[in-house]
Amino acid sequence: MKKKILTSYLKLAFALLISSSGFAQQGNQKTTSNPAVKNAPTECDYFVSEEDGKKMIEKFEIDFRKKGSPDEVKGLNLEYWLPSCVISSLFNFFNRDENKYFDGVRFYWIVKQSAAQDEENRTSLVIVPTSPVDPPSASFKHTDRWDLTIRDECGSSEYLNMRRTDAERLRKAYGEDFRQTRTIGDVVVGADNDQLSAAYWMDTCVIAALQKVLLQNSTLVDGIIAYNAVYFTKDDISRPYRLYDYQSTLVFVPGKKTGDVLKPDWELLNKFRPKSYDIKAAANHGHLCPQVCD
């Protein structure tokens, strides 16, 4: 009898161990071998409704791009195309056992390396993996890891593996031209357009969810559209980790690119939302700089 009870306990323990391993298992789970983040949440709140997502994108066009006005900021792009190979590069990087410690990626807005001052298509993104800050604080949560190399499945993606010196130069140009940063010497001390975020952080669980959508819908979509957007409600407690109520962010929607035309598919992420959420369509929630810049 005792032997049967012991065997049952061992089977239960083994089942629990298996169910909790591998961050890619459900696409909305986050696991880590790092003791510093052992109490991290196990469910990733990465959804925003189609209605809210479109309002956020429209608000960015009006408030920051000033689309259609005499003061339109034409060099500030409204969207960025991330082909499937970018997402799979990130997913495969984090899914390796030796990389379980790392917790996500930070997207920095930059000025394109080839962009002249008078070009309308001037801004882009650069992606760098991060590791968790121990212990985390309100402003310090994720350390940029420029020392890491992500195997680029695209061959040569503009978003991946940029040298830190180049990235900092292009980030600085973005800050000066669009955020209107103020400096003392080489140190940034503020920005006149500070509500235009400098960076967006994404958790590994979001990458896993996006990868799953792309793999299971490869005939419908071939990448992710990252839309510039801005929060449109003043008091949204479900969206912490930002400094301003109406601060810019990114909204990620599966899509297909035909020539230069991007077509979003807002329905696909619905299949992968946590059961407690309904009518959710796009990935959005992350940590913004300012407030979480490291």
Side-chain angles (χ1 to χ4, degrees):
M1 184 65 179
K2 289 183 178 179
K3 186 176 180 179
K4 290 183 178 179
I5 293 175
L6 178 59
T7 301
S8 298
Y9 275 120
L10 288 174
K11 288 182 178 179
L12 177 60
F14 182 75
L16 289 173
L17 178 63
I18 292 298
S19 67
S20 63
S21 63
F23 88 85
Q25 187 176 22
Q26 294 297 328
N28 63 352
Q29 298 293 316
K30 176 182 176 182
T31 64
T32 179
S33 58
N34 175 28
V37 289
K38 63 183 178 181
N39 294 321
T42 57
E43 185 172 78
C44 196
D45 177 7
Y46 52 80
F47 286 103
V48 62
S49 70
E50 178 178 354
E51 180 183 4
D52 286 353
K54 289 181 176 179
K55 285 181 181 177
M56 293 165 69
I57 293 168
E58 182 181 13
K59 186 171 176 61
F60 184 92
E61 293 178 357
I62 296 171
D63 290 2
F64 291 100
R65 175 68 182 257
K66 304 183 188 300
K67 189 175 179 180
S69 77
D71 299 323
E72 183 171 354
V73 186
K74 293 184 178 180
L76 185 58
N77 286 353
L78 297 173
E79 60 196 21
Y80 308 98
W81 173 245
L82 308 178
S84 297
C85 55
V86 170
I87 305 302
S88 61
S89 296
L90 297 175
F91 175 81
N92 290 330
F93 173 83
F94 289 110
N95 206 34
R96 297 188 183 97
D97 287 340
E98 64 269 25
N99 294 334
K100 293 293 186 180
Y101 170 73
F102 306 113
D103 59 353
V105 294
R106 185 169 274 119
F107 291 77
Y108 282 107
W109 282 272
I110 61 171
V111 166
K112 289 184 177 180
Q113 296 194 67
S114 60
Q117 289 298 315
D118 57 350
E119 281 191 29
E120 293 188 3
N121 178 21
R122 296 195 60 226
T123 60
S124 185
L125 301 167
V126 62
I127 302 171
V128 59
T130 63
S131 57
V133 172
D134 179 22
S137 67
S139 300
F140 298 92
K141 296 181 182 296
H142 319 283
T143 299
D144 293 342
R145 297 301 302 269
W146 297 98
D147 57 307
L148 301 175
T149 299
I150 296 172
R151 188 169 70 85
D152 187 350
E153 298 179 14
C154 301
S156 181
S157 170
E158 64 179 293
Y159 305 113
L160 302 175
N161 301 320
M162 184 178 290
R163 291 190 305 172
R164 182 173 187 170
T165 52
D166 291 336
E168 288 180 346
R169 173 174 54 85
L170 299 173
R171 285 166 51 199
K172 181 180 179 183
Y174 178 84
E176 292 173 347
D177 294 352
F178 296 100
R179 301 189 69 246
Q180 299 164 21
T181 51
R182 302 186 305 273
T183 59
I184 297 179
D186 291 329
V187 179
V188 176
V189 295
D192 293 337
N193 194 18
D194 206 29
Q195 289 173 279
L196 181 64
S197 296
Y200 172 103
W201 181 83
M202 175 185 282
D203 193 291
T204 55
C205 63
V206 181
I207 296 168
L210 296 178
Q211 171 74 350
K212 191 171 185 179
V213 169
L214 292 172
L215 285 177
Q216 296 192 8
N217 298 276
S218 58
T219 60
L220 300 176
V221 293
D222 54 6
I224 299 293
I225 307 170
Y227 288 101
N228 270 327
V230 61
Y231 292 112
F232 64 91
T233 54
K234 183 175 181 179
D235 300 313
D236 186 350
I237 60 174
S238 68
R239 296 291 182 261
Y241 308 120
R242 69 186 198 264
L243 188 60
Y244 301 100
D245 293 326
Y246 306 109
Q247 186 169 341
S248 72
T249 183
L250 289 170
V251 168
F252 298 85
V253 185
K256 192 171 187 66
K257 183 176 183 180
T258 304
D260 293 328
V261 178
L262 300 180
K263 183 180 179 181
D265 191 330
W266 289 86
E267 296 299 321
L268 293 182
L269 271 170
N270 286 331
K271 301 176 184 178
F272 302 97
R273 67 183 186 272
K275 293 181 180 179
S276 58
Y277 295 83
D278 58 355
I279 319 178
K280 305 293 182 177
N284 161 248
H285 186 36
H287 300 175
L288 298 178
C289 172
Q291 170 186 356
V292 182
C293 298
D294 202 351

